Amino acid sequence: MTAIETRPLGGKNPLPVTNFGLGTAPLANLYKPVSEADAIATVQAAYNSGIHLFDTAPLYGRGLSETRVGRALAGYPRESYVISTKVGRVLSDDQSSLHFDYTRDGVLRSLEGSLKRLGMDYVDILHIHDPDNHQHEALETAFPTLAELRSQGVIKAIGAGMNQWQTLEHFARHADFDLFLLAGRYTLLEQTSLDFLQLCQQKGIGIFLGGVYNSGILATGPQPGAKYNYADAPDPILHKAAAIQAVCNRHHTPLHVAALQFARAHPAVTALVVGAITPAEVQANLDALSALIPAALWAQLRAQGLIEADAPTPS
């Protein structure tokens, strides 16, 4: 498999997207300070490497991510890349605070603010962002507003982005979504969402996978302080990650390389969305996607019960 390919968003939406995207939350100082110059260089390195899918949100740095993405891409043809941003949290005019708002007015104000920060006339994809405790409002007010925007050609696709799949499964059964952004629930460490992914595949709903390192442990390995679900990894997770890493070591494959390639192997997955804060990290991700992994590694993980028996693995 080549590192970057272009494919339709999903079975029912032909919007072309690259199968690897840049997640831009880290560029807004999510984990550590990132300079403006480094942020712009990272976005441009991704674009110049063939990554033409960029995911952002008002939440990320209270608009800083969107602002930096817009500045970085200002010199490139707008039709040559896909922008994915989010609604559901509205940023105040002075950008000092955010509040949940899934109303029609909230969705429209959120989009208006995103366009201003991005310096763009349109975005391609709008996700309903983290509606865990707002499922009714998301379906009854936010989604119809987005459907209207889609029918008018203002946006090209409607998604929802969450860290759990159960609500997304409900959305898949009750509204006409084009895609979902699922973070952390289909990874080399856990495959709890297999039935959900199969449902999306049947319905032609695209899947973007975020959080493929489970907040860090699949990138750093099970070292002290390794993160899982945005917190210190508990002992059972550390032990499982150590067992997976031992198999990877046996086959001379870095853990993060196996994690990236495993996540992208499911046929329901349209694209991975992975963060980076330097051009070198962008290149490291591309190198990981292109690395050769022996089939025996996947067979051994399956034989030891470290991945689900029916989880697809790279060919």
Side-chain angles (χ1 to χ4, degrees):
M1 178 183 293
T2 57
I4 302 296
E5 299 173 347
T6 299
R7 58 180 57 168
L9 177 66
K12 60 184 178 182
N13 189 318
L15 175 68
V17 296
T18 52
N19 61 350
F20 195 76
L22 181 69
T24 65
L27 296 178
N29 307 324
L30 177 64
Y31 302 114
K32 67 179 192 179
V34 179
S35 71
E36 178 90 355
D38 284 345
I40 289 174
T42 301
V43 173
Q44 292 179 345
Y47 182 97
N48 293 331
S49 298
I51 299 169
H52 292 172
L53 170 64
F54 300 90
D55 180 75
T56 184
L59 175 66
Y60 304 156
R62 296 196 301 273
L64 182 60
S65 169
E66 290 181 319
T67 299
R68 287 179 163 180
V69 168
R71 289 172 180 166
L73 294 174
Y76 298 99
R78 177 61 188 89
E79 69 277 5
S80 67
Y81 56 85
V82 169
I83 291 289
S84 162
T85 192
K86 304 175 182 74
V87 299
R89 286 184 172 95
V90 178
L91 189 59
S92 62
D93 290 339
D94 63 2
Q95 300 192 172
S96 64
S97 63
L98 284 148
H99 64 275
F100 286 103
D101 191 339
Y102 296 92
T103 65
R104 174 183 172 81
D105 182 62
V107 167
L108 296 177
R109 285 192 295 119
S110 180
L111 175 58
E112 181 182 11
S114 292
L115 292 173
K116 183 176 180 180
R117 288 185 292 275
L118 287 162
M120 297 176 186
D121 295 329
Y122 69 94
V123 297
D124 303 276
I125 300 167
L126 276 180
H127 291 288
I128 302 173
H129 201 183
D130 290 342
D132 302 64
N133 300 317
H134 306 271
Q135 296 180 37
H136 180 77
E137 297 96 321
L139 277 182
E140 297 301 320
T141 60
F143 180 83
T145 305
L146 294 176
E148 182 181 337
L149 294 173
R150 182 177 60 187
S151 69
Q152 295 170 347
V154 176
I155 61 174
K156 299 174 183 177
I158 301 170
M162 301 183 71
N163 288 279
Q164 49 100 345
W165 57 266
Q166 290 86 347
T167 296
L168 296 181
E169 181 177 67
H170 178 75
F171 287 179
R173 297 185 185 279
H174 292 90
D176 183 24
F177 282 86
D178 297 294
L179 78 155
F180 295 121
L181 173 55
L182 177 64
R185 301 286 75 80
Y186 189 77
T187 71
L188 186 59
L189 196 57
E190 61 176 285
Q191 300 96 51
T192 57
S193 58
L194 275 168
D195 289 345
F196 164 70
L197 294 181
Q198 183 178 18
L199 172 68
C200 290
Q201 195 173 6
Q202 291 169 350
K203 287 182 167 288
I205 298 171
I207 295 289
F208 289 174
L209 286 184
V212 295
Y213 296 135
N214 282 118
S215 299
I217 191 169
L218 289 175
T220 65
Q223 62 188 27
K227 301 300 181 185
Y228 170 81
N229 275 4
Y230 313 106
D232 288 346
D235 285 343
I237 294 296
L238 288 170
H239 294 155
K240 184 174 182 180
I244 293 172
Q245 187 174 52
V247 174
C248 290
N249 290 344
R250 216 165 291 139
H251 294 279
H252 310 289
T253 300
L255 179 62
H256 77 280
V257 171
L260 273 187
Q261 293 200 24
F262 175 84
R264 202 168 71 165
H266 196 292
V269 174
T270 305
L272 302 187
V273 176
V274 180
I277 59 171
T278 65
E281 288 188 4
V282 172
Q283 187 58 51
N285 287 332
L286 294 176
D287 291 344
L289 289 172
S290 301
L292 296 177
I293 299 178
L297 182 151
W298 311 116
Q300 188 169 357
L301 288 176
R302 203 184 307 279
Q304 292 183 208
L306 293 171
I307 57 174
E308 294 295 326
D310 53 348
T313 53
S315 58

